[in-house]
Amino acid sequence: MLSFEEKLNNYAELAVKIGANVQPGQTLVVNATIDAAPLVRLIVRKAYEIGAKLVKVNYTDEAVTRLRYDLAPAESFLEAPTWYAGEMTELAENGAAFLTVLSSSPDLLKGVEPGRIADYQRTYGQAMAKYRQFQQADKMSWTGVAFPSPDWAAKVFPDAPKDQQVGKLWDAIFHACRADREDPIAAWEEHIDTLQQKSDELNAKKYQKLHFTAPGTDLTIELPEGHIWAQAGSVNEQGTAFVANIPTEEVFTAPLKTGVNGTVSSTKPLSYGGNIIDRFTLTFENGRIVDYKAEEGQDTLARLIEMDEGSHYLGEVALVPFQSPISQSNILYYTTLYDENASCHLAIGSSYAFNIQGGKTMSQDELESHGMNQSITHVDFMMGSPEMNITGITHDGKEEPVFVNGNWA
């Protein structure tokens, strides 16, 4: 059995070698909260040891973030961070890799006036539009991992003794990410191969539509001509493989922007903008959200959907079997990085350019003309369950099961 230090070492190695896959002579940009400093320092060491030219670390502090939302003048949230967006875009253009360490409390901004959060997210999203386009076309390597902050661990394990909450979340993270294996790199290579096999099977089918049915869900999603099923293992413009999320259990593609009809119900809480949205339903007509209701977080959901025109449409449809390891852990993580890998999910907002043939080199107008959605946001929400059935519909109208009772048919 591995020690905590050995697992943490494995985890940092996965982040650098499998996630961002840092190359000799490359710059690595790490974005993290100050809670995550112990992991960040290990990541920095690993990156330099394999030949990184520079590791640039950007720290944020949740207490400082909350103070700004509580005390700063309202107009400050309308000032776009163009200096930051310019730096990140320039680093991306120059071939840097990007690694985000997530550890935010799901309730960080609970009680904050929703307009402030929405204003910040809109101005930030607009400023970062070019960087996001690079990211969604795999121009550079990028990945996300997690670090258990005390507030987040308390949310996930509220019934555990306070001094055990962070340790329990570490154990769950190490297991979900295969960092508790003797050879986690080999385990990840095998896992990515398995996900690719599923992507290949779906790409061979070339379904025209998918029909999702479950309690509270009856939704038909048309897929664009030339759509590509992908998994989080990808290849950047320079030909370097990377894995965008650690952990990952999904295969996903883009819906046809105007081809979504019916109603879908969420099956897990969504942590968005420092608030929780829970037990919500969305109704679609010709791709557009025409009605929405949430039992918790209605205002937050409204601000998300009203972000821009593209946030009224979907940009991703992802399939995750209920028997996936993260789902079977029966842990609700309150962060999309983990919860999306326990459940089939959809994303409100922009599509990934690599989900359509030739998309990586298309202009934004060309992507739009192929039915790919554009938005300054991309937010996954979970809608899978053990009762989920998915039917694939071919171009000649033939129907065949893709998922039965939450798992691959």
Side-chain angles (χ1 to χ4, degrees):
M1 187 172 170
L2 301 182
S3 68
F4 176 84
E5 288 72 23
E6 288 171 322
K7 293 176 194 172
L8 189 66
N9 187 74
N10 282 348
Y11 189 48
E13 197 151 290
L14 285 171
V16 172
K17 294 184 178 179
I18 292 289
N21 193 7
V22 180
Q23 299 296 296
Q26 189 176 28
T27 294
L28 173 65
V29 181
V30 181
N31 294 301
T33 64
I34 56 174
D35 282 327
L39 175 61
V40 171
R41 291 170 192 143
L42 201 49
I43 285 169
V44 170
R45 174 179 290 277
K46 296 280 183 192
Y48 280 128
E49 284 176 350
I50 62 173
K53 177 177 68 177
L54 173 67
V55 184
K56 177 177 172 50
V57 178
N58 300 317
Y59 280 121
T60 55
D61 180 345
E62 291 210 311
V64 170
T65 299
R66 180 65 199 228
L67 284 167
R68 180 188 175 191
Y69 276 99
D70 285 340
L71 302 174
E75 60 268 21
S76 79
F77 296 98
L78 297 172
E79 293 182 5
T82 51
W83 54 273
Y84 176 72
E87 180 184 42
M88 293 288 277
T89 303
E90 182 180 328
L91 285 161
E93 287 174 330
N94 291 327
F98 296 81
L99 197 162
T100 300
V101 184
L102 302 165
S103 59
S104 295
S105 164
D107 293 319
L108 175 64
L109 302 183
K110 190 172 185 177
V112 169
E113 201 281 301
R116 289 177 164 238
I117 301 171
D119 285 344
Y120 173 78
Q121 287 170 331
R122 185 177 294 105
T123 54
Y124 180 86
Q126 289 167 345
M128 295 294 287
K130 189 173 182 181
Y131 174 83
R132 177 180 286 280
Q133 288 164 15
F134 284 176
Q135 188 182 54
Q136 294 188 325
D138 283 347
K139 299 288 186 189
M140 74 286 197
S141 301
W142 53 282
T143 194
V145 299
F147 183 96
S149 67
D151 285 349
W152 178 28
K155 182 78 173 178
V156 178
F157 296 109
D159 298 328
K162 196 171 182 64
D163 62 348
Q164 295 177 23
Q165 290 169 338
V166 169
K168 286 178 72 70
L169 187 49
W170 263 129
D171 287 343
I173 285 172
F174 287 149
H175 185 65
C177 296
R178 300 169 173 79
D180 56 359
R181 310 272 186 99
E182 289 290 344
D183 189 347
I185 300 289
W188 263 91
E189 289 170 346
E190 181 182 342
H191 178 53
I192 292 298
D193 285 345
T194 301
L195 291 176
Q196 188 58 51
Q197 288 170 19
K198 280 295 175 194
S199 296
D200 291 344
E201 289 173 20
L202 287 167
N203 283 324
K205 293 289 186 181
K206 293 184 170 59
Y207 289 123
Q208 183 185 23
K209 296 177 183 177
L210 296 176
H211 183 204
F212 295 76
T213 54
T217 293
D218 186 350
L219 189 73
T220 301
I221 297 179
E222 190 172 348
L223 304 176
E225 195 69 39
H227 68 271
I228 295 173
W229 288 93
Q231 40 84 17
S234 198
V235 178
N236 69 18
E237 200 170 51
Q238 293 76 42
T240 303
F242 68 97
V243 177
N245 297 331
I246 292 180
T248 182
E249 301 290 339
E250 65 177 328
V251 294
F252 62 96
T253 192
L256 180 69
K257 177 178 178 177
T258 56
V260 183
N261 288 281
T263 299
V264 63
S265 296
S266 67
T267 52
K268 290 180 184 288
L270 169 62
S271 176
Y272 172 73
N275 286 276
I276 298 294
I277 310 169
D278 199 9
R279 300 179 301 281
F280 60 93
T281 60
L282 307 176
T283 301
F284 295 83
E285 287 181 11
N286 299 322
R288 201 172 199 276
I289 298 170
V290 294
D291 192 28
Y292 53 89
K293 291 183 178 67
E295 290 185 30
E296 180 182 350
Q298 174 76 12
D299 285 350
T300 304
L301 179 61
R303 302 274 180 178
L304 166 59
I305 292 170
E306 301 297 333
M307 183 71 62
D308 63 8
E309 178 58 22
S311 56
H312 291 77
Y313 296 83
L314 295 181
E316 179 187 333
V317 50
L319 306 186
V320 181
F322 186 72
Q323 65 187 14
S324 73
I326 296 172
S327 174
Q328 291 183 319
S329 73
N330 290 319
I331 297 171
L332 181 60
Y333 287 92
Y334 294 98
T335 182
T336 301
L337 178 65
Y338 276 74
D339 289 336
E340 73 169 5
N341 290 300
S343 168
C344 289
H345 54 274
L346 305 172
I348 291 170
S350 58
S351 303
Y352 288 103
F354 55 74
N355 276 140
I356 196 161
Q357 290 171 13
K360 290 186 180 185
T361 58
M362 287 183 188
S363 67
Q364 296 303 297
D365 287 344
E366 288 172 323
L367 288 166
E368 189 85 36
S369 71
H370 282 78
M372 305 289 277
N373 191 32
Q374 311 291 317
S375 175
I376 60 172
T377 195
H378 177 100
V379 178
D380 298 294
F381 68 91
M382 285 55 76
M383 41 77 84
S385 71
E387 295 81 41
M388 173 68 72
N389 292 309
I390 307 173
T391 302
I393 304 169
T394 62
H395 284 269
D396 58 7
K398 181 185 171 190
E399 298 188 4
E400 50 193 42
V402 178
F403 266 44
V404 175
N405 296 330
N407 290 304
W408 293 105

